[in-house]
């Protein structure tokens, strides 16, 4: 005959006073709090860095800056600033010396990704020199569509209807921007139609390469042991991208300060602020890939692009014509569709998990444990 199960009080914790219970925290709980704080900090870095870098990059060209290699260099030359989070992050291994845990294979992968990042930075700089912030931001939203495809191929993320819906909507929005106004698009003053389409293609190329960069980084980060090592890999990559940009600058003899119209002090302040915001952007991107997934990082960046569009309209007076407005609506619609599909998928998984666990809870409540139920039979 089975003995009815009665839940017994937890004598190890229920008898503790409230202040003693607070002290009785497990290492796992402390780790979760650390990861939660780290994720919040990365969200902040991603927000400030993404919006600030796009506005400042366009500000440089609007006020007379003309050197695209310099605009490429400032995106990565601030990599020594990443030594600060490395020093503040605890080491996950017994070796506390920086870069000691990077294997030769990881180092070679970082060199290759650094070249990819350098080319991506150059394409972004070219797009920023030829296009308004609002237009380039809408074009960069296509990186989410590219990311969906690359994560499906490289990381084996399943494609769903909402994913494909996002790809279609972002593709249509890009086509609207390409053929808006039937006069060559949203050209800047004094810009030719050829230069506009050059900036258009360069920005699409930057979105394509960055979308390829994200899932590759997710694969690379599977071999790292902590956030500190993530920053070490980022330093190697940005050092290579900086070398590529510096080489390009060495081949250009133009005086890029010649047409700057706000004075030398403002010139260096703008460059310094651009360097800082780009590093915040890279910290946020790398941290989100490591803490979540490459697709989640791409989603977060796409969510910020409508803010860039509004910033371009408010700060630079960009034209928000009907084609651009519809393109922005399609971007928001595609992004919202994807987020809704992912949230429904998580809800379905949670419901299935609850249904499976409820049966076990009923058995344990009635018989004390699953083993007790088996013995009773």
């Amino acid at each position: 005959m089975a003995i009815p199960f009665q839940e017994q009080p937890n004598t190890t914790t229920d008898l503790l006073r409230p202040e003693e219970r607070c002290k009785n925290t497990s290492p796992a709980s402390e780790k979760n709090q650390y990861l939660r704080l780290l994720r919040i900090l990365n969200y902040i870095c991603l927000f400030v860095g993404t919006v600030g870098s796009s506005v400042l990059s366009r500000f440089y060209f609007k006020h007379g800056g003309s050197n695209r290699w310099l605009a490429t260099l400032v995106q990565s030359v601030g990599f020594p600033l990443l030594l600060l989070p490395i020093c503040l992050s605890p080491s996950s291994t017994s070796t506390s010396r920086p870069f000691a845990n990077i294997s030769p294979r990881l180092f070679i992968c970082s060199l290759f990704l650094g070249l990819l990042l350098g080319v991506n930075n150059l394409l972004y700089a070219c797009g920023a020199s030829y296009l308004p912030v609002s237009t380039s931001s809408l074009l960069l939203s296509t990186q989410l569509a590219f990311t969906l495809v690359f994560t499906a191929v490289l990381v084996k993320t399943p494609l769903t209807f909402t994913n494909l819906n996002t790809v279609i909507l972002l593709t249509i929005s890009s086509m609207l921007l390409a053929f808006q106004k039937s006069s060559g698009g949203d050209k800047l003053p004094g810009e030719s139609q050829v230069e506009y389409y050059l900036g258009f293609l360069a920005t699409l190329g930057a979105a394509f390469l960055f979308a390829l960069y994200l899932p590759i980084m997710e694969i690379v980060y599977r071999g790292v042991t902590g956030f500190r090592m993530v920053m070490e890999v980022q330093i190697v990559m940005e050092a290579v991208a900086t070398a590529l940009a510096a080489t390009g600058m060495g081949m250009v003899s133009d005086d890029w300060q010649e047409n700057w119209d706000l004075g030398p002090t403002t010139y260096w302040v703008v460059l310094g602020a651009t360097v800082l915001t780009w590093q915040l952007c890279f910290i946020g991107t790398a941290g989100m890939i490591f803490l979540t997934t490459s697709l989640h990082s791409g989603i977060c960046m796409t969510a910020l692009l409508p803010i860039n569009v509004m910033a371009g309209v408010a700060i630079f007076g960009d034209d928000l014509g009907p084609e651009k407005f519809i393109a922005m609506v399609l971007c928001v619609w595609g992004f919202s569709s994807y987020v809704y599909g992912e949230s429904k998928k998580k809800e379905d998984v949670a419901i299935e998990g609850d249904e499976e666990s409820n049966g076990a809870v009923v058995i344990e409540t009635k018989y004390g444990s699953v083993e007790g139920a088996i013995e009773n039979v």
Side-chain angles (χ1 to χ4, degrees):
M1 179 178 177
I3 300 176
F5 172 73
Q6 294 182 353
E7 185 177 358
Q8 299 296 326
N10 188 341
T11 56
T12 59
T13 58
D14 288 358
L15 298 179
L16 295 177
R17 294 190 298 271
E19 60 270 18
E20 291 177 340
R21 293 183 190 177
C22 294
K23 296 179 181 178
N24 193 29
T25 57
S26 64
S29 176
E30 294 178 356
K31 182 179 180 180
N32 290 336
Q33 292 178 359
Y34 168 75
L35 291 177
R36 189 179 300 110
L37 176 62
L38 191 61
R39 190 177 293 111
I40 293 174
L41 292 176
N42 276 276
Y43 277 126
I44 296 174
C45 289
L46 188 64
F47 175 82
V48 176
T50 300
V51 177
S53 60
S54 63
V55 171
L56 289 171
S57 295
R58 180 61 209 146
F59 187 88
Y60 166 76
F61 289 108
K62 182 176 177 60
H63 289 280
S66 58
N67 193 319
R68 296 177 183 85
W69 282 110
L70 177 62
T72 303
L73 180 69
V74 296
Q75 297 180 48
S76 57
V77 74
F79 67 88
L81 296 174
L82 298 181
L83 292 173
L84 180 61
I86 289 178
C87 295
L88 296 178
S89 300
S91 177
S92 58
T93 63
S94 58
T95 304
S96 59
R97 184 164 51 90
F99 306 99
N101 297 312
I102 297 182
S103 64
R105 181 179 179 181
L106 182 58
F107 181 76
I108 294 174
C109 290
S110 301
L111 294 179
F112 169 76
L113 288 170
L115 291 174
L116 181 65
L117 181 63
V119 175
N120 176 81
N121 292 346
L122 176 61
L123 291 174
Y124 180 89
C126 290
S129 66
Y130 290 127
L131 298 178
V133 171
S134 54
T135 303
S136 62
S137 297
L138 289 172
L139 286 174
L140 288 173
S141 66
T142 58
Q143 65 91 14
L144 180 57
F146 293 136
T147 302
L148 287 172
V149 176
F150 286 131
T151 53
V153 175
L154 300 177
V155 192
K156 308 303 179 184
T157 301
L159 286 176
T160 62
F161 173 77
T162 54
N163 293 349
L164 296 176
N165 183 53
T166 301
V167 172
I168 293 172
L169 291 174
L170 294 180
T171 302
I172 295 176
S173 68
S174 299
M175 294 174 63
L176 281 174
L177 292 176
F179 301 106
Q180 62 177 327
K181 295 185 179 180
S182 68
S183 61
D186 190 18
K187 295 184 298 185
L188 297 172
E191 184 179 71
S192 67
Q193 185 171 341
V194 174
E195 289 175 328
Y196 171 81
Y197 282 115
L198 181 61
F200 187 93
L201 294 176
T203 305
L204 279 183
F208 179 86
L209 285 183
F210 194 74
L212 178 62
Y213 165 86
L214 291 178
I216 293 178
M217 286 308 303
E218 181 177 352
I219 297 173
V220 169
Y221 285 161
R222 292 172 182 174
V224 304
T225 57
F227 184 77
R228 174 176 175 171
M229 197 170 175
V230 169
M231 293 295 101
E232 293 171 354
V233 171
Q234 191 68 34
I235 283 181
V236 176
M237 291 166 44
E238 291 192 43
V240 175
T242 300
L244 178 64
T247 302
M249 282 191 63
M251 297 186 298
V252 177
S253 58
D254 296 339
D255 182 6
W256 54 86
Q257 298 186 59
E258 182 179 359
N259 299 320
W260 184 258
D261 57 8
L262 296 179
T265 301
T266 305
Y267 176 83
W268 292 110
V269 169
V270 169
L271 289 186
T274 307
V275 169
L276 177 60
T277 52
W278 272 112
Q279 289 310 304
L280 291 176
C281 180
F282 282 130
I283 289 175
T285 302
M288 293 312 301
I289 296 174
F290 174 69
L291 295 172
T292 58
T293 63
S294 58
L295 187 56
H296 181 79
S297 179
I299 292 170
C300 293
M301 297 190 70
T302 305
L304 296 175
L305 292 178
I307 300 178
N308 288 347
V309 174
M310 293 296 101
V313 174
I315 298 174
F316 302 111
D318 293 352
D319 180 26
L320 189 64
E323 299 94 339
K324 190 180 294 184
F325 179 78
I326 294 174
M328 187 174 67
V329 171
L330 290 175
C331 288
V332 175
W333 183 7
F335 170 75
S336 302
S337 173
Y338 175 80
V339 173
Y340 176 77
E342 290 298 303
S343 62
K344 290 294 293 182
K345 185 192 303 182
K346 291 182 180 180
E347 288 179 4
D348 293 340
V349 172
I351 291 174
E352 291 178 1
D354 290 340
E355 290 177 351
E356 292 177 358
S357 62
N358 282 341
V361 170
V362 171
I363 293 176
E364 291 187 14
T365 304
K366 184 176 181 180
Y367 297 106
S369 66
V370 176
E371 291 79 2
I374 296 174
E375 292 177 0
N376 186 72
V377 174

